[in-house]
Amino acid sequence: MMRFDPFRDIEELTQRMDRAFGQGNGTARLSPPVDVHEDESGLELTLDLPGVQPQDIQIEAESQTLTVQAERKYDRSEGRTAHRVERAYGTLIRTFSVPPKYDLGKVEANFDHGTLTLRVPRSEAAQKRSISVRSGGQDTGSRTLDAGKSSGTQDSKDKDGKKVNQ
């Protein structure tokens, strides 16, 4: 789950205004559509970047922020008249606030047929671990504790994967 980012609405509004009116230099800032999924291994972000070349994509990760920027260039050839230009050209940019339970130092990026897929793994500290519980010197079985939850009630599972109430 993504944390609330109070500046996201402002950024999206700015991007919509740029798209509607363009920037003063003739290129617009565009916000590509994105799908964000989460599973046990981490986050997966999938962005549509049609018409973008891989060398025109920049990905930066810093201070729990992941930024994707790409350039979709318009080919303005001499001797050619444009009667209609409806496709968007310019800078495509998206910024994501990523919770600290994910490791931005290990982001993987794959670009295929205009789709950029980013995988952000969970940090080592947020991984589930099996912990053996001993009673009177004997092993009573292992339980899996979710390290990503805050202190208090935690879900745990026994060695057969059944949920154990604590």
Side-chain angles (χ1 to χ4, degrees):
M1 176 168 280
M2 301 299 287
R3 282 201 174 135
F4 172 71
D5 181 4
F7 300 104
R8 187 185 74 194
D9 292 336
I10 295 169
E11 178 185 350
E12 287 179 2
L13 179 61
T14 302
Q15 291 171 353
R16 287 182 190 161
M17 296 296 285
D18 287 345
R19 206 176 347 200
F21 300 109
Q23 291 179 327
N25 63 5
T27 60
R29 271 184 68 198
L30 308 167
S31 180
V34 64
D35 293 337
V36 179
H37 294 95
E38 179 181 27
D39 62 17
E40 290 290 322
S41 63
L43 289 176
E44 182 177 271
L45 296 90
T46 307
L47 293 90
D48 287 340
L49 301 174
V52 173
Q53 298 300 317
Q55 64 270 18
D56 295 330
I57 300 172
Q58 293 178 327
I59 303 166
E60 295 178 0
E62 180 181 18
S63 301
Q64 298 311 122
T65 302
L66 184 64
T67 302
V68 177
Q69 184 170 331
E71 185 73 25
R72 183 169 171 182
K73 298 174 183 171
Y74 179 66
D75 182 21
R76 295 187 177 141
S77 300
E78 277 194 48
R80 192 169 91 166
T81 302
H83 292 282
R84 183 174 292 212
V85 179
E86 293 183 352
R87 298 186 309 151
Y89 297 94
T91 301
L92 299 115
I93 188 166
R94 283 301 290 260
T95 301
F96 306 94
S97 293
V98 180
K101 69 180 182 178
Y102 299 102
D103 189 351
L104 287 178
K106 295 182 180 175
V107 175
E108 295 178 5
N110 183 40
F111 187 68
D112 189 32
H113 298 294
T115 300
L116 176 66
T117 302
L118 301 171
R119 288 182 186 79
V120 186
R122 287 186 186 264
S123 66
E124 290 294 320
Q127 295 289 334
K128 287 187 178 183
R129 293 174 174 72
S130 291
I131 300 169
S132 296
V133 178
R134 295 182 182 259
S135 176
Q138 295 186 4
D139 190 356
T140 61
S142 64
R143 294 184 180 175
T144 303
L145 301 178
D146 187 352
K149 295 200 178 214
S150 61
S151 60
T153 306
Q154 293 196 358
D155 293 336
S156 62
K157 296 179 183 178
D158 64 13
K159 64 182 176 182
D160 298 322
K162 295 179 184 172
K163 197 170 189 177
V164 177
N165 293 328
Q166 292 185 349

